[in-house]
């Protein structure tokens, strides 16, 4: 085991100062991902800066009508919060579709966003991996890649992002609040927080060095809008998504007033389906309209030999999710789509 120093921060300012004064340090919350990576020598920080004692454990309503979820809130507390369950069911469903109850009790909102890929080549230091060690190659491209990306990947990396929660936040138009000691606080759209790999797959997010995730900001839900999360996986529970979808839908006079769709398990980040959204907005959500919109989005897929099935799987999940929301929406058309 590689020795490391440990700092217990009690304020944001203290945490940022500790990061600045300890090169090679990492922030730690619940540790459900980072500790595993340290055990496998994938992560070898010189210093761990514990953020669990920062005053970031509240969920409260915002003046705008949305919610502020602080970064230290556990995944369990977020999933079962009454306002989350009633206003943002897709978020609650996504969290409950994730890890076991024991892990959700420890895992934090901020840490969930920052978990790293579960690509087995990334986790195995004996194999080349551009995400772990830039310039060494991507063993997954010519190896076992059934679980890997079909959208947005590059020659340097085909890994997928594992978070269920992040997919729901992308569809819900959430924002991520970030803090660093030098520049203060800024906000980033959840849909743009994670990066596509490009030539730098080692950069998972748009975080600047030393920045701390302090909160997730949820906008007020539109009156009459529904949301849900669907996930397909190899076993019935506690497995990462082969494909998943978070959907938000609002109808007015039988037409789509607002729709948001985000895929998980298909790309290096949650994939916001903007092409499908544009085609559906203002349309009557018939089976044909939904199918054409989803197909137009997934036309950008570039599957590898062993994961082409993901495209059809994602297509069916999205059509089923939208059909379910249409059936339950106020003002739904008489001819309702079927998956």
């Amino acid at each position: 085991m590689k020795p490391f120093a440990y700092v217990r921060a009690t304020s944001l300012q203290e945490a940022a100062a500790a990061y600045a004064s300890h090169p090679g340090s990492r922030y730690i919350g619940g540790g459900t991902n980072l500790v595993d990576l340290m055990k496998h020598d994938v992560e070898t920080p010189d210093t761990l800066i514990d953020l669990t004692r920062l005053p970031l454990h509240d969920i409260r309503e915002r003046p705008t009508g949305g919610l502020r979820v602080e970064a230290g809130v556990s995944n369990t507390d977020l999933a079962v919060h009454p306002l989350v369950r009633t206003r943002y069911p897709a978020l609650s469903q996504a969290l409950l579709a994730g890890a076991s109850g024991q892990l959700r009790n420890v895992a934090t909102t901020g840490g969930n966003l920052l978990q790293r890929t579960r690509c087995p080549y990334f986790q195995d230091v004996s194999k080349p991996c551009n995400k772990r060690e830039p310039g060494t190659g991507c063993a997954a491209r010519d190896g076992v890649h059934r679980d890997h990306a079909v959208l947005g990947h590059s020659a340097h990396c085909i890994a997928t992002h594992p978070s269920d929660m992040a997919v729901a936040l992308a569809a819900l138009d959430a924002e991520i609040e970030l803090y660093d000691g030098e520049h203060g606080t800024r906000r980033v759209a959840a849909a743009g927080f994670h990066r596509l790999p490009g030539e730098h797959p080692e950069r998972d997010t748009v975080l600047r060095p030393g920045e701390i995730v302090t909160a997730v900001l949820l906008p007020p839900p539109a009156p009459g809008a529904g949301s849900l999360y669907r996930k397909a996986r190899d076993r019935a529970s506690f497995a990462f998504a082969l494909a998943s979808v978070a959907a938000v839908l609002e109808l007015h006079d039988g037409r789509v007033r607002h729709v948001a769709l985000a895929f998980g398990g298909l790309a290096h980040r949650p994939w916001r389906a903007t092409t499908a959204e544009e085609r559906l907005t203002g349309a009557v959500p018939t089976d044909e309209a939904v199918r054409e919109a989803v197909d137009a989005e997934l036309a950008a897929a570039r599957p590898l030999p062993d994961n082409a099935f993901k495209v059809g799987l994602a297509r069916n999940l999205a059509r089923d999710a939208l059909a379910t929301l249409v059936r339950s929406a106020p003002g739904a058309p008489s001819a309702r789509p079927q998956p």
Side-chain angles (χ1 to χ4, degrees):
M1 178 176 172
K2 181 180 182 295
F4 59 88
Y6 173 78
V7 176
R8 182 179 293 171
T10 57
S11 69
L12 285 169
Q13 295 78 10
E14 185 179 341
Y19 185 94
S21 61
H22 292 83
S25 61
R26 289 291 306 274
Y27 296 124
I28 187 169
T32 59
N33 182 215
L34 178 58
V35 172
D36 282 344
L37 294 177
M38 291 173 65
K39 290 177 181 178
H40 292 291
D41 289 328
V42 176
E43 297 276 3
T44 56
D46 295 315
T47 304
L48 290 182
I49 303 170
D50 187 345
L51 304 181
T52 57
R53 287 166 177 77
L54 301 188
L56 296 174
H57 300 277
D58 290 337
I59 302 173
R60 58 178 181 268
E61 292 195 74
R62 302 168 65 195
T64 59
L67 287 183
R68 175 184 173 85
V69 181
E70 293 184 328
V73 172
S74 74
N75 285 181
T76 294
D77 288 345
L78 181 56
V80 303
H81 193 280
L83 293 180
V84 175
R85 294 177 62 137
T86 55
R87 297 182 187 177
Y88 312 97
L91 178 55
S92 179
Q93 293 161 7
L95 287 161
L96 294 174
S100 68
Q102 293 92 332
L103 286 174
R104 290 198 304 269
N105 290 342
V106 176
T108 63
T109 299
N112 187 305
L113 288 168
L114 297 176
Q115 63 184 301
R116 307 207 70 188
T117 183
R118 264 52 178 197
C119 173
Y121 298 100
F122 170 75
Q123 296 176 319
D124 184 349
V125 295
S126 70
K127 301 293 191 298
C129 173
N130 288 320
K131 177 176 282 295
R132 190 183 65 248
E133 189 176 351
T136 58
C138 176
R141 293 195 69 88
D142 295 319
V144 179
H145 53 249
R146 174 178 176 270
D147 297 341
H148 289 66
V150 297
L151 287 166
H153 55 81
S154 73
H156 302 281
C157 183
I158 59 172
T160 57
H161 194 267
S163 174
D164 294 290
M165 183 189 77
V167 180
L169 293 179
L172 290 166
D173 291 318
E175 292 183 307
I176 313 300
E177 183 183 88
L178 308 171
Y179 169 86
D180 74 26
E182 182 178 356
H183 301 98
T185 299
R186 69 179 178 120
R187 296 178 182 178
V188 176
F193 180 67
H194 298 94
R195 297 179 66 260
L196 292 179
E199 295 183 355
H200 294 283
E202 73 278 9
R203 301 177 189 169
D204 291 342
T205 70
V206 298
L207 273 175
R208 298 165 181 161
E211 277 190 315
I212 301 169
V213 176
T214 52
V216 169
L217 307 174
L218 289 160
S227 72
L228 58 77
Y229 184 74
R230 290 278 190 270
K231 177 178 180 178
R233 49 196 167 186
D234 278 328
R235 59 179 187 265
S237 62
F238 314 143
F240 297 106
L242 292 170
S244 66
V245 63
V248 181
L249 184 73
E250 179 191 5
L251 298 183
H252 179 70
D253 291 337
R255 293 183 177 272
V256 176
R257 172 180 279 179
H258 172 71
V259 62
L261 200 64
F263 289 108
L266 303 187
H268 200 256
R269 69 180 185 195
W271 185 273
R272 184 68 183 260
T274 55
T275 298
E277 293 170 2
E278 290 171 2
R279 289 190 174 227
L280 284 171
T281 301
V284 176
T286 62
D287 182 48
E288 182 180 3
V290 170
R291 182 179 64 250
E292 289 179 353
V294 173
D295 285 350
E297 184 67 46
L298 294 174
R302 297 293 181 267
L304 296 156
D306 297 335
N307 66 3
F309 74 95
K310 281 194 171 193
V311 179
L313 185 60
R315 177 185 296 114
N316 291 339
L317 285 172
R319 291 178 61 194
D320 176 68
L322 290 169
T324 301
L325 289 175
V326 169
R327 288 194 296 269
S328 61
S334 56
R336 293 168 178 164
Q338 297 296 321

